[in-house]
Amino acid sequence: MKKTFRKTLSANDVGSTGAHQAGILVPKTDVELMTFLPHLDQGIKNPDAWIKCLDEGGNIRKFRYIYYNNKLHDPKGTRNEYRITHMTNYLKEMGAREGDFLEISISQGEQFYNIQVLRQETIIAKNEDEEGFRIKITSSWRRVH
């Protein structure tokens, strides 16, 4: 069984705001997405795992999935968020823009996740061809069926 998730890329995600962001946010309230990604032990300060992905060009990419949780471990800690980091070069190489989609999937038993950047206009055009289908553009992750 293959599971796929898609995130609409924000200006911060693709670096067009000039802000220094520590990777793409993974909402901890999305239980299905959290179980799709490797388990991180919240009892450890800033646990992480490397996600090996095969991109649309057949290249193997390694991204860091991390739970910044110093709020749980340090008296003055402020961070309590999951992120996927080390994606900047990949997104630049793919020419990702705000509004495009980052798609990540994996089939049961596979060693690598598959990852690709999909152009916003391609997804909208495809969905307009499907009668009665509407696409909702959000800045969050969603499961693709």
Side-chain angles (χ1 to χ4, degrees), residues 52-117:
K52 291 182 182 176
C53 299
L54 189 62
D55 73 14
E56 53 270 62
N59 302 303
I60 296 174
R61 308 276 184 159
K62 287 181 11 182
F63 304 117
R64 185 179 183 214
Y65 176 49
I66 184 165
Y67 179 28
Y68 290 110
N69 64 1
N70 68 1
K71 185 174 184 175
L72 306 177
H73 295 275
D74 298 335
K76 293 185 180 182
T78 59
R79 295 186 76 184
N80 185 20
E81 61 193 22
Y82 291 84
R83 295 216 173 242
I84 301 175
T85 64
H86 293 263
M87 296 193 85
T88 304
N89 289 339
Y90 166 71
L91 293 173
K92 284 182 183 177
E93 287 174 28
M94 296 301 114
R97 301 179 310 245
E98 178 182 4
D100 287 345
F101 300 91
L102 173 68
E103 187 173 274
I104 185 168
S105 62
I106 195 165
S107 295
Q108 190 172 13
E110 290 293 318
Q111 180 180 1
F112 297 103
Y113 288 84
N114 291 299
I115 194 162
Q116 63 180 332
V117 172

Side-chain angles (χ1 to χ4, degrees), residues 30-68:
D30 188 333
V31 175
E32 192 175 16
L33 177 59
M34 296 296 293
T35 58
F36 171 78
L37 295 167
H39 173 75
L40 299 178
D41 183 356
Q42 68 178 345
I44 299 170
K45 183 177 177 182
N46 297 335
D48 68 337
W50 288 94
I51 301 172
K52 291 182 182 176
C53 299
L54 189 62
D55 73 14
E56 53 270 62
N59 302 303
I60 296 174
R61 308 276 184 159
K62 287 181 11 182
F63 304 117
R64 185 179 183 214
Y65 176 49
I66 184 165
Y67 179 28
Y68 290 110

